[in-house]
mmCIF file of all heavy atoms in Angstrom:
data_model
loop_
_atom_site.group_PDB
_atom_site.id
_atom_site.type_symbol
_atom_site.label_atom_id
_atom_site.label_comp_id
_atom_site.label_asym_id
_atom_site.label_seq_id
_atom_site.Cartn_x
_atom_site.Cartn_y
_atom_site.Cartn_z
ATOM 1 N N GLU A 1 34.106 -0.896 -19.426
ATOM 2 C CA GLU A 1 33.015 -1.862 -19.526
ATOM 3 C C GLU A 1 32.023 -1.704 -18.378
ATOM 4 O O GLU A 1 30.812 -1.757 -18.573
ATOM 5 C CB GLU A 1 33.579 -3.290 -19.556
ATOM 6 C CG GLU A 1 32.517 -4.348 -19.798
ATOM 7 C CD GLU A 1 33.127 -5.706 -20.064
ATOM 8 O OE1 GLU A 1 33.989 -5.805 -20.970
ATOM 9 O OE2 GLU A 1 32.751 -6.661 -19.363
ATOM 10 N N HIS A 2 32.537 -1.503 -17.166
ATOM 11 C CA HIS A 2 31.670 -1.311 -16.009
ATOM 12 C C HIS A 2 30.804 -0.067 -16.188
ATOM 13 O O HIS A 2 29.609 -0.070 -15.871
ATOM 14 C CB HIS A 2 32.513 -1.198 -14.739
ATOM 15 C CG HIS A 2 31.709 -0.977 -13.491
ATOM 16 N ND1 HIS A 2 30.817 -1.920 -13.008
ATOM 17 C CD2 HIS A 2 31.635 0.085 -12.632
ATOM 18 C CE1 HIS A 2 30.249 -1.465 -11.909
ATOM 19 N NE2 HIS A 2 30.718 -0.253 -11.662
ATOM 20 N N GLY A 3 31.395 0.993 -16.727
ATOM 21 C CA GLY A 3 30.645 2.221 -16.961
ATOM 22 C C GLY A 3 29.541 2.036 -17.988
ATOM 23 O O GLY A 3 28.452 2.606 -17.853
ATOM 24 N N HIS A 4 29.801 1.225 -18.998
ATOM 25 C CA HIS A 4 28.786 0.965 -20.011
ATOM 26 C C HIS A 4 27.596 0.199 -19.423
ATOM 27 O O HIS A 4 26.439 0.492 -19.749
ATOM 28 C CB HIS A 4 29.398 0.171 -21.174
ATOM 29 C CG HIS A 4 30.304 1.000 -22.031
ATOM 30 N ND1 HIS A 4 31.084 0.484 -23.047
ATOM 31 C CD2 HIS A 4 30.577 2.344 -22.022
ATOM 32 C CE1 HIS A 4 31.769 1.444 -23.624
ATOM 33 N NE2 HIS A 4 31.482 2.583 -23.020
ATOM 34 N N PHE A 5 27.893 -0.774 -18.589
ATOM 35 C CA PHE A 5 26.807 -1.505 -17.937
ATOM 36 C C PHE A 5 25.988 -0.576 -17.041
ATOM 37 O O PHE A 5 24.758 -0.655 -17.008
ATOM 38 C CB PHE A 5 27.359 -2.668 -17.111
ATOM 39 C CG PHE A 5 27.705 -3.889 -17.924
ATOM 40 C CD1 PHE A 5 28.935 -4.505 -17.792
ATOM 41 C CD2 PHE A 5 26.784 -4.426 -18.817
ATOM 42 C CE1 PHE A 5 29.245 -5.632 -18.528
ATOM 43 C CE2 PHE A 5 27.091 -5.558 -19.563
ATOM 44 C CZ PHE A 5 28.332 -6.158 -19.424
ATOM 45 N N LEU A 6 26.663 0.304 -16.320
ATOM 46 C CA LEU A 6 25.957 1.250 -15.465
ATOM 47 C C LEU A 6 25.052 2.166 -16.285
ATOM 48 O O LEU A 6 23.934 2.500 -15.868
ATOM 49 C CB LEU A 6 26.955 2.092 -14.655
ATOM 50 C CG LEU A 6 27.642 1.410 -13.474
ATOM 51 C CD1 LEU A 6 28.631 2.368 -12.819
ATOM 52 C CD2 LEU A 6 26.600 0.951 -12.447
ATOM 53 N N PHE A 7 25.522 2.562 -17.452
ATOM 54 C CA PHE A 7 24.715 3.427 -18.315
ATOM 55 C C PHE A 7 23.433 2.711 -18.754
ATOM 56 O O PHE A 7 22.334 3.286 -18.713
ATOM 57 C CB PHE A 7 25.523 3.844 -19.548
ATOM 58 C CG PHE A 7 24.723 4.610 -20.564
ATOM 59 C CD1 PHE A 7 24.434 5.957 -20.377
ATOM 60 C CD2 PHE A 7 24.228 3.971 -21.700
ATOM 61 C CE1 PHE A 7 23.681 6.659 -21.309
ATOM 62 C CE2 PHE A 7 23.473 4.662 -22.639
ATOM 63 C CZ PHE A 7 23.197 6.009 -22.437
ATOM 64 N N ILE A 8 23.551 1.447 -19.176
ATOM 65 C CA ILE A 8 22.371 0.700 -19.612
ATOM 66 C C ILE A 8 21.416 0.490 -18.447
ATOM 67 O O ILE A 8 20.185 0.610 -18.594
ATOM 68 C CB ILE A 8 22.790 -0.655 -20.224
ATOM 69 C CG1 ILE A 8 23.619 -0.431 -21.484
ATOM 70 C CG2 ILE A 8 21.560 -1.500 -20.551
ATOM 71 C CD1 ILE A 8 24.124 -1.706 -22.129
ATOM 72 N N GLN A 9 21.966 0.177 -17.274
ATOM 73 C CA GLN A 9 21.113 -0.009 -16.095
ATOM 74 C C GLN A 9 20.380 1.279 -15.738
ATOM 75 O O GLN A 9 19.176 1.261 -15.428
ATOM 76 C CB GLN A 9 21.957 -0.500 -14.916
ATOM 77 C CG GLN A 9 22.443 -1.934 -15.079
ATOM 78 C CD GLN A 9 23.585 -2.276 -14.144
ATOM 79 O OE1 GLN A 9 24.206 -1.396 -13.533
ATOM 80 N NE2 GLN A 9 23.898 -3.560 -14.016
ATOM 81 N N ALA A 10 21.093 2.406 -15.801
ATOM 82 C CA ALA A 10 20.456 3.696 -15.508
ATOM 83 C C ALA A 10 19.371 4.015 -16.539
ATOM 84 O O ALA A 10 18.294 4.520 -16.193
ATOM 85 C CB ALA A 10 21.507 4.806 -15.485
ATOM 86 N N ALA A 11 19.652 3.704 -17.807
ATOM 87 C CA ALA A 11 18.666 3.952 -18.866
ATOM 88 C C ALA A 11 17.420 3.106 -18.657
ATOM 89 O O ALA A 11 16.288 3.574 -18.848
ATOM 90 C CB ALA A 11 19.277 3.656 -20.236
ATOM 91 N N SER A 12 17.605 1.849 -18.234
ATOM 92 C CA SER A 12 16.450 0.975 -18.025
ATOM 93 C C SER A 12 15.626 1.413 -16.819
ATOM 94 O O SER A 12 14.390 1.359 -16.850
ATOM 95 C CB SER A 12 16.914 -0.478 -17.858
ATOM 96 O OG SER A 12 17.718 -0.634 -16.704
ATOM 97 N N VAL A 13 16.302 1.878 -15.761
ATOM 98 C CA VAL A 13 15.571 2.379 -14.589
ATOM 99 C C VAL A 13 14.784 3.635 -14.953
ATOM 100 O O VAL A 13 13.627 3.810 -14.552
ATOM 101 C CB VAL A 13 16.538 2.655 -13.417
ATOM 102 C CG1 VAL A 13 15.819 3.386 -12.293
ATOM 103 C CG2 VAL A 13 17.139 1.358 -12.901
ATOM 104 N N THR A 14 15.408 4.516 -15.731
ATOM 105 C CA THR A 14 14.718 5.730 -16.187
ATOM 106 C C THR A 14 13.479 5.373 -16.993
ATOM 107 O O THR A 14 12.393 5.956 -16.813
ATOM 108 C CB THR A 14 15.667 6.591 -17.046
ATOM 109 O OG1 THR A 14 16.831 6.921 -16.276
ATOM 110 C CG2 THR A 14 14.977 7.871 -17.494
ATOM 111 N N LEU A 15 13.618 4.385 -17.885
ATOM 112 C CA LEU A 15 12.482 3.937 -18.683
ATOM 113 C C LEU A 15 11.380 3.369 -17.793
ATOM 114 O O LEU A 15 10.188 3.652 -17.995
ATOM 115 C CB LEU A 15 12.938 2.881 -19.695
ATOM 116 C CG LEU A 15 11.838 2.204 -20.511
ATOM 117 C CD1 LEU A 15 11.107 3.229 -21.388
ATOM 118 C CD2 LEU A 15 12.413 1.081 -21.364
ATOM 119 N N ALA A 16 11.768 2.587 -16.786
ATOM 120 C CA ALA A 16 10.781 1.969 -15.894
ATOM 121 C C ALA A 16 9.987 3.028 -15.133
ATOM 122 O O ALA A 16 8.753 2.966 -15.050
ATOM 123 C CB ALA A 16 11.479 1.027 -14.922
ATOM 124 N N VAL A 17 10.699 4.016 -14.578
ATOM 125 C CA VAL A 17 10.027 5.083 -13.830
ATOM 126 C C VAL A 17 9.119 5.881 -14.761
ATOM 127 O O VAL A 17 7.989 6.249 -14.403
ATOM 128 C CB VAL A 17 11.060 5.995 -13.153
ATOM 129 C CG1 VAL A 17 10.386 7.208 -12.510
ATOM 130 C CG2 VAL A 17 11.858 5.218 -12.103
ATOM 131 N N TYR A 18 9.607 6.129 -15.958
ATOM 132 C CA TYR A 18 8.828 6.890 -16.943
ATOM 133 C C TYR A 18 7.534 6.161 -17.304
ATOM 134 O O TYR A 18 6.454 6.763 -17.365
ATOM 135 C CB TYR A 18 9.681 7.108 -18.194
ATOM 136 C CG TYR A 18 8.947 7.776 -19.331
ATOM 137 C CD1 TYR A 18 8.771 9.151 -19.363
ATOM 138 C CD2 TYR A 18 8.428 7.009 -20.377
ATOM 139 C CE1 TYR A 18 8.089 9.762 -20.408
ATOM 140 C CE2 TYR A 18 7.752 7.617 -21.429
ATOM 141 C CZ TYR A 18 7.582 8.991 -21.436
ATOM 142 O OH TYR A 18 6.906 9.591 -22.472
ATOM 143 N N LEU A 19 7.628 4.856 -17.538
ATOM 144 C CA LEU A 19 6.447 4.078 -17.911
ATOM 145 C C LEU A 19 5.409 4.072 -16.804
ATOM 146 O O LEU A 19 4.203 4.243 -17.057
ATOM 147 C CB LEU A 19 6.858 2.644 -18.263
ATOM 148 C CG LEU A 19 7.634 2.455 -19.567
ATOM 149 C CD1 LEU A 19 8.177 1.032 -19.665
ATOM 150 C CD2 LEU A 19 6.753 2.761 -20.772
ATOM 151 N N LEU A 20 5.856 3.864 -15.577
ATOM 152 C CA LEU A 20 4.916 3.840 -14.456
ATOM 153 C C LEU A 20 4.252 5.204 -14.282
ATOM 154 O O LEU A 20 3.035 5.301 -14.080
ATOM 155 C CB LEU A 20 5.639 3.432 -13.170
ATOM 156 C CG LEU A 20 4.758 3.301 -11.930
ATOM 157 C CD1 LEU A 20 3.711 2.207 -12.127
ATOM 158 C CD2 LEU A 20 5.604 2.997 -10.698
ATOM 159 N N THR A 21 5.044 6.272 -14.374
ATOM 160 C CA THR A 21 4.514 7.629 -14.190
ATOM 161 C C THR A 21 3.488 7.988 -15.255
ATOM 162 O O THR A 21 2.395 8.489 -14.956
ATOM 163 C CB THR A 21 5.662 8.654 -14.213
ATOM 164 O OG1 THR A 21 6.624 8.322 -13.206
ATOM 165 C CG2 THR A 21 5.135 10.059 -13.966
ATOM 166 N N THR A 22 3.830 7.723 -16.515
ATOM 167 C CA THR A 22 2.919 8.095 -17.598
ATOM 168 C C THR A 22 1.649 7.248 -17.592
ATOM 169 O O THR A 22 0.571 7.731 -17.962
ATOM 170 C CB THR A 22 3.617 7.974 -18.964
ATOM 171 O OG1 THR A 22 4.228 6.669 -19.085
ATOM 172 C CG2 THR A 22 4.701 9.038 -19.114
ATOM 173 N N THR A 23 1.755 5.985 -17.191
ATOM 174 C CA THR A 23 0.560 5.140 -17.099
ATOM 175 C C THR A 23 -0.406 5.672 -16.048
ATOM 176 O O THR A 23 -1.628 5.733 -16.257
ATOM 177 C CB THR A 23 0.940 3.689 -16.762
ATOM 178 O OG1 THR A 23 1.799 3.178 -17.785
ATOM 179 C CG2 THR A 23 -0.301 2.807 -16.660
ATOM 180 N N ILE A 24 0.145 6.106 -14.913
ATOM 181 C CA ILE A 24 -0.696 6.671 -13.850
ATOM 182 C C ILE A 24 -1.324 7.990 -14.303
ATOM 183 O O ILE A 24 -2.502 8.260 -14.054
ATOM 184 C CB ILE A 24 0.127 6.861 -12.559
ATOM 185 C CG1 ILE A 24 0.538 5.497 -11.993
ATOM 186 C CG2 ILE A 24 -0.667 7.636 -11.515
ATOM 187 C CD1 ILE A 24 1.474 5.574 -10.807
ATOM 188 N N LEU A 25 -0.534 8.823 -14.990
ATOM 189 C CA LEU A 25 -1.061 10.089 -15.502
ATOM 190 C C LEU A 25 -2.210 9.848 -16.473
ATOM 191 O O LEU A 25 -3.230 10.544 -16.437
ATOM 192 C CB LEU A 25 0.055 10.882 -16.196
ATOM 193 C CG LEU A 25 1.120 11.517 -15.300
ATOM 194 C CD1 LEU A 25 2.216 12.145 -16.148
ATOM 195 C CD2 LEU A 25 0.497 12.557 -14.378
ATOM 196 N N LYS A 26 -2.050 8.861 -17.330
ATOM 197 C CA LYS A 26 -3.094 8.540 -18.303
ATOM 198 C C LYS A 26 -4.362 8.058 -17.604
ATOM 199 O O LYS A 26 -5.492 8.326 -18.048
ATOM 200 C CB LYS A 26 -2.586 7.464 -19.274
ATOM 201 C CG LYS A 26 -3.598 6.990 -20.308
ATOM 202 C CD LYS A 26 -3.947 8.077 -21.308
ATOM 203 C CE LYS A 26 -4.850 7.554 -22.403
ATOM 204 N NZ LYS A 26 -5.240 8.591 -23.370
ATOM 205 N N GLU A 27 -4.185 7.361 -16.483
ATOM 206 C CA GLU A 27 -5.332 6.806 -15.763
ATOM 207 C C GLU A 27 -6.160 7.890 -15.082
ATOM 208 O O GLU A 27 -7.388 7.819 -15.051
ATOM 209 C CB GLU A 27 -4.823 5.786 -14.732
ATOM 210 C CG GLU A 27 -5.912 5.097 -13.930
ATOM 211 C CD GLU A 27 -6.738 4.139 -14.763
ATOM 212 O OE1 GLU A 27 -6.298 3.753 -15.874
ATOM 213 O OE2 GLU A 27 -7.846 3.785 -14.310
ATOM 214 N N TYR A 28 -5.469 8.889 -14.525
ATOM 215 C CA TYR A 28 -6.167 9.877 -13.694
ATOM 216 C C TYR A 28 -6.441 11.209 -14.384
ATOM 217 O O TYR A 28 -7.170 12.036 -13.860
ATOM 218 C CB TYR A 28 -5.373 10.118 -12.411
ATOM 219 C CG TYR A 28 -5.420 8.936 -11.474
ATOM 220 C CD1 TYR A 28 -4.337 8.080 -11.349
ATOM 221 C CD2 TYR A 28 -6.557 8.670 -10.708
ATOM 222 C CE1 TYR A 28 -4.372 6.984 -10.496
ATOM 223 C CE2 TYR A 28 -6.611 7.587 -9.855
ATOM 224 C CZ TYR A 28 -5.513 6.748 -9.745
ATOM 225 O OH TYR A 28 -5.564 5.661 -8.900
ATOM 226 N N PHE A 29 -5.815 11.418 -15.556
ATOM 227 C CA PHE A 29 -6.030 12.681 -16.258
ATOM 228 C C PHE A 29 -6.422 12.401 -17.709
ATOM 229 O O PHE A 29 -5.985 11.406 -18.299
ATOM 230 C CB PHE A 29 -4.766 13.557 -16.222
ATOM 231 C CG PHE A 29 -4.346 13.943 -14.841
ATOM 232 C CD1 PHE A 29 -3.351 13.220 -14.176
ATOM 233 C CD2 PHE A 29 -4.930 15.012 -14.190
ATOM 234 C CE1 PHE A 29 -2.957 13.561 -12.903
ATOM 235 C CE2 PHE A 29 -4.531 15.369 -12.907
ATOM 236 C CZ PHE A 29 -3.541 14.639 -12.264
ATOM 237 N N SER A 30 -7.193 13.276 -18.254
ATOM 238 C CA SER A 30 -7.604 13.150 -19.651
ATOM 239 C C SER A 30 -6.530 13.777 -20.541
ATOM 240 O O SER A 30 -6.371 14.997 -20.581
ATOM 241 C CB SER A 30 -8.951 13.848 -19.867
ATOM 242 O OG SER A 30 -9.344 13.755 -21.213
ATOM 243 N N LEU A 31 -5.794 12.934 -21.226
ATOM 244 C CA LEU A 31 -4.694 13.403 -22.067
ATOM 245 C C LEU A 31 -5.110 13.343 -23.525
ATOM 246 O O LEU A 31 -5.709 12.357 -23.972
ATOM 247 C CB LEU A 31 -3.447 12.538 -21.857
ATOM 248 C CG LEU A 31 -2.914 12.448 -20.415
ATOM 249 C CD1 LEU A 31 -1.714 11.509 -20.373
ATOM 250 C CD2 LEU A 31 -2.529 13.826 -19.890
ATOM 251 N N GLY A 32 -4.784 14.379 -24.266
ATOM 252 C CA GLY A 32 -5.112 14.404 -25.685
ATOM 253 C C GLY A 32 -4.218 13.470 -26.476
ATOM 254 O O GLY A 32 -3.212 12.964 -25.982
ATOM 255 N N ASN A 33 -4.578 13.248 -27.730
ATOM 256 C CA ASN A 33 -3.795 12.363 -28.585
ATOM 257 C C ASN A 33 -2.374 12.862 -28.786
ATOM 258 O O ASN A 33 -1.427 12.071 -28.844
ATOM 259 C CB ASN A 33 -4.486 12.203 -29.945
ATOM 260 C CG ASN A 33 -5.757 11.382 -29.852
ATOM 261 O OD1 ASN A 33 -5.903 10.574 -28.933
ATOM 262 N ND2 ASN A 33 -6.672 11.595 -30.781
ATOM 263 N N THR A 34 -2.234 14.199 -28.892
ATOM 264 C CA THR A 34 -0.895 14.749 -29.124
ATOM 265 C C THR A 34 0.042 14.403 -27.976
ATOM 266 O O THR A 34 1.173 13.941 -28.184
ATOM 267 C CB THR A 34 -0.963 16.277 -29.302
ATOM 268 O OG1 THR A 34 -1.835 16.593 -30.390
ATOM 269 C CG2 THR A 34 0.420 16.845 -29.565
ATOM 270 N N ILE A 35 -0.410 14.618 -26.746
ATOM 271 C CA ILE A 35 0.432 14.321 -25.574
ATOM 272 C C ILE A 35 0.705 12.824 -25.485
ATOM 273 O O ILE A 35 1.820 12.403 -25.160
ATOM 274 C CB ILE A 35 -0.262 14.824 -24.293
ATOM 275 C CG1 ILE A 35 -0.401 16.315 -24.371
ATOM 276 C CG2 ILE A 35 0.465 14.340 -23.064
ATOM 277 C CD1 ILE A 35 -0.511 17.085 -23.137
ATOM 278 N N SER A 36 -0.285 12.006 -25.786
ATOM 279 C CA SER A 36 -0.100 10.554 -25.749
ATOM 280 C C SER A 36 0.979 10.126 -26.738
ATOM 281 O O SER A 36 1.850 9.304 -26.416
ATOM 282 C CB SER A 36 -1.416 9.838 -26.081
ATOM 283 O OG SER A 36 -2.382 10.085 -25.092
ATOM 284 N N TYR A 37 0.951 10.696 -27.942
ATOM 285 C CA TYR A 37 1.959 10.336 -28.945
ATOM 286 C C TYR A 37 3.352 10.835 -28.541
ATOM 287 O O TYR A 37 4.365 10.180 -28.843
ATOM 288 C CB TYR A 37 1.571 10.902 -30.314
ATOM 289 C CG TYR A 37 0.354 10.237 -30.906
ATOM 290 C CD1 TYR A 37 -0.567 10.964 -31.665
ATOM 291 C CD2 TYR A 37 0.107 8.882 -30.714
ATOM 292 C CE1 TYR A 37 -1.696 10.356 -32.208
ATOM 293 C CE2 TYR A 37 -1.015 8.267 -31.248
ATOM 294 C CZ TYR A 37 -1.913 9.004 -31.990
ATOM 295 O OH TYR A 37 -3.024 8.395 -32.527
ATOM 296 N N ILE A 38 3.408 11.981 -27.859
ATOM 297 C CA ILE A 38 4.703 12.475 -27.354
ATOM 298 C C ILE A 38 5.249 11.506 -26.314
ATOM 299 O O ILE A 38 6.449 11.193 -26.302
ATOM 300 C CB ILE A 38 4.544 13.889 -26.770
ATOM 301 C CG1 ILE A 38 4.265 14.905 -27.887
ATOM 302 C CG2 ILE A 38 5.807 14.293 -25.996
ATOM 303 C CD1 ILE A 38 3.957 16.300 -27.387
ATOM 304 N N PHE A 39 4.368 11.031 -25.428
ATOM 305 C CA PHE A 39 4.786 10.054 -24.424
ATOM 306 C C PHE A 39 5.376 8.805 -25.086
ATOM 307 O O PHE A 39 6.403 8.271 -24.654
ATOM 308 C CB PHE A 39 3.601 9.652 -23.541
ATOM 309 C CG PHE A 39 3.276 10.660 -22.468
ATOM 310 C CD1 PHE A 39 2.078 10.576 -21.774
ATOM 311 C CD2 PHE A 39 4.152 11.687 -22.152
ATOM 312 C CE1 PHE A 39 1.763 11.489 -20.775
ATOM 313 C CE2 PHE A 39 3.856 12.615 -21.169
ATOM 314 C CZ PHE A 39 2.662 12.515 -20.475
ATOM 315 N N ILE A 40 4.720 8.332 -26.144
ATOM 316 C CA ILE A 40 5.202 7.132 -26.839
ATOM 317 C C ILE A 40 6.546 7.406 -27.509
ATOM 318 O O ILE A 40 7.451 6.559 -27.495
ATOM 319 C CB ILE A 40 4.163 6.667 -27.883
ATOM 320 C CG1 ILE A 40 2.879 6.213 -27.193
ATOM 321 C CG2 ILE A 40 4.732 5.541 -28.742
ATOM 322 C CD1 ILE A 40 3.051 5.018 -26.285
ATOM 323 N N ALA A 41 6.703 8.592 -28.094
ATOM 324 C CA ALA A 41 7.960 8.941 -28.762
ATOM 325 C C ALA A 41 9.120 8.965 -27.768
ATOM 326 O O ALA A 41 10.222 8.465 -28.060
ATOM 327 C CB ALA A 41 7.824 10.296 -29.452
#
């Protein structure tokens, strides 16, 4: 059970870092629609 909680916590942290990184990339670089849709996927 402890391992399962750790997995969800790690997944949520990964998602958080990913969201912040991609938002900054979108702000400072011109990304095409294809790359934007890949980011969302």
Side-chain angles (χ1 to χ4, degrees):
E1 186 170 307
H2 179 64
H4 287 173
F5 280 130
L6 285 178
F7 174 78
I8 296 178
Q9 289 163 346
S12 63
V13 171
T14 302
L15 174 63
V17 173
Y18 175 81
L19 289 170
L20 183 62
T21 303
T22 51
T23 300
I24 293 174
L25 288 175
K26 177 67 175 178
E27 182 70 17
Y28 289 104
F29 298 97
S30 179
L31 303 178
N33 289 336
T34 302
I35 297 204
S36 295
Y37 291 145
I38 291 174
F39 281 167
I40 295 297

